[in-house]
Amino acid sequence: MYYYYDATYILVIAAFFLTLFASFGVNSTFKKYNEVYSSRGITAAEAARKILDANGLYNIRIEHVSGNLTDHFSPKEGVIRLSDATYNSASVAAIGVAAHECGHAIQHQTGYVPIKIRNGIVPVVNVSNALSMPLFILGLILSIGPLAMAGALLFGMVLVFQLVTLPTETNASRRAMKTLDEMAILEGEELNGARKTLTAAAMTYVAAVASTALQFLRLVMIANRRRR
């Protein structure tokens, strides 16, 4: 019996563990600081409202959404949605997460360049993502190396999107920490807890970029073998 060994599986395994490690980090950090409460006693939703109003974003709504850490800002709808774990919580972790989403709203208000780029390439990324794997697999089945390589390169647009997304996320966290400090929403060790929570969250985006880069490398390696 013969066994087929593909060395590129190592890249898949590495990508899996990177994502797993980052997910564990953000969940454990959030859980830890979700038990540390703000001395001011305001909830994450109340803190978000204060930050938005202070920046003149009275039109941005704050809504409750189900799920755990499903918090997000929807620019098209003009709404920040805070999850079950965040909305009514007065923990420093929840307030940090809410402030981060406010950071995204402020980015749109100020015309932050990376977020404009990210929004501009979304249609291209969606089309590339939809076509990449069908072309790649078809290229392998038909033994057409250039077709498989085209699919791999289209998958690379997902990596480009994630690379552009990374600075928007880190910038939103910096804005959040600065605002929480300047408005005295959190103080001292409370700020430290919020910072650690947002840093752990940022690592999930770093891991996503690294994971996608490894997957992209694997596809290119496989397609290149077919070209030979």
Side-chain angles (χ1 to χ4, degrees), residues 19 54 154:
T19 304
L154 283 175

Side-chain angles (χ1 to χ4, degrees), residues 127-178:
V127 172
S128 298
N129 191 39
L131 294 176
S132 61
M133 292 313 296
L135 288 179
F136 180 77
I137 294 171
L138 187 62
L140 295 184
I141 293 173
L142 300 178
S143 295
I144 303 176
L147 185 61
M149 183 61 75
L153 294 177
L154 283 175
F155 181 79
M157 283 302 301
V158 176
L159 178 59
V160 171
F161 179 77
Q162 290 181 339
L163 285 170
V164 175
T165 296
L166 190 56
T168 69
E169 295 299 329
T170 55
N171 177 265
S173 290
R174 283 196 296 270
R175 290 174 187 268
M177 293 309 306
K178 183 179 179 181

Side-chain angles (χ1 to χ4, degrees), residues 177-205:
M177 293 309 306
K178 183 179 179 181
T179 301
L180 292 173
D181 187 16
E182 291 179 347
M183 295 182 65
I185 294 174
L186 296 179
E187 300 175 346
E189 284 302 308
E190 297 172 353
L191 283 168
N192 188 45
R195 182 177 293 106
K196 288 183 178 180
T197 300
L198 295 183
T199 299
M203 289 307 297
T204 63
Y205 291 97

Side-chain angles (χ1 to χ4, degrees), residues 38-52:
S38 163
S39 58
R40 294 190 63 183
I42 64 173
T43 67
E46 292 169 340
R49 186 73 270 161
K50 286 178 179 291
I51 294 171
L52 293 174

Side-chain angles (χ1 to χ4, degrees), residues 101-118:
E101 299 306 331
C102 291
H104 284 310
I106 296 170
Q107 286 174 339
H108 279 82
Q109 178 198 43
T110 58
Y112 182 60
V113 174
I115 211 164
K116 285 185 173 182
I117 296 173
R118 186 184 72 172

